[in-house]
Amino acid sequence: MNTDLDIAFAALADPTRRAILSMLLEDDMAVTDVADPFEMSLAAISKHLTILTRAGLISQEKRGRVKWCKLEPDALRAASVWMQGFGQFEPVNLDAFERFLESEFRDGTPDDPRS
């Protein structure tokens, strides 16, 4: 199995990281703004952001004294291609996936990722 694909799916397995991706659909955000809606430390959010960055799902850059996060739009393409290989899945529409993430996390992070 492709190591990059493993890393991407592992990053997506956490509901906090999925919520962060959903937030970044709107626009680039400063790390402190990403952390604001979560009841966890800035250090914990930074760890989540590091995992998303290593998976290639987001990028981070320093602008002046502020670190910004940006969603990488093509990051899920490999996962989409892999899922399509099973034939039982319809081609994954990334725009529809973005809308799903937005609707899923519009009212906050779900308590149970299986719900």
Side-chain angles (χ1 to χ4, degrees), residues 55-74:
L57 300 174
I58 67 168
S59 59
Q60 296 183 64
E61 72 173 312
K62 200 155 191 175
R63 298 180 199 161
R65 296 170 64 176
V66 178
K67 192 177 231 183
W68 288 81
C69 301
K70 176 184 176 185
L71 185 67
E72 290 300 325
D74 293 329

Side-chain angles (χ1 to χ4, degrees), residues 1 5 9 79-90:
M1 181 131 205
L5 198 54
F9 279 121
S80 173
V81 169
W82 181 81
M83 288 186 289
Q84 289 174 28
F86 285 94
Q88 63 189 8
F89 296 104
E90 292 292 320

Side-chain angles (χ1 to χ4, degrees), residues 29-83:
M29 295 179 75
V31 169
T32 53
D33 293 333
V34 170
D36 191 46
F38 298 100
E39 293 183 18
M40 61 180 72
S41 69
L42 188 57
I45 289 295
S46 291
K47 288 181 182 181
H48 283 294
L49 294 173
T50 297
I51 291 168
L52 291 169
T53 301
R54 286 185 184 156
L57 300 174
I58 67 168
S59 59
Q60 296 183 64
E61 72 173 312
K62 200 155 191 175
R63 298 180 199 161
R65 296 170 64 176
V66 178
K67 192 177 231 183
W68 288 81
C69 301
K70 176 184 176 185
L71 185 67
E72 290 300 325
D74 293 329
L76 292 174
R77 193 163 313 283
S80 173
V81 169
W82 181 81
M83 288 186 289

Side-chain angles (χ1 to χ4, degrees), residues 95-112:
D95 291 332
F97 183 66
E98 288 177 6
R99 287 191 299 274
F100 166 76
L101 286 175
E102 285 176 340
S103 68
E104 194 70 16
F105 296 104
R106 185 173 299 127
D107 299 322
T109 306
D111 293 332
D112 184 353

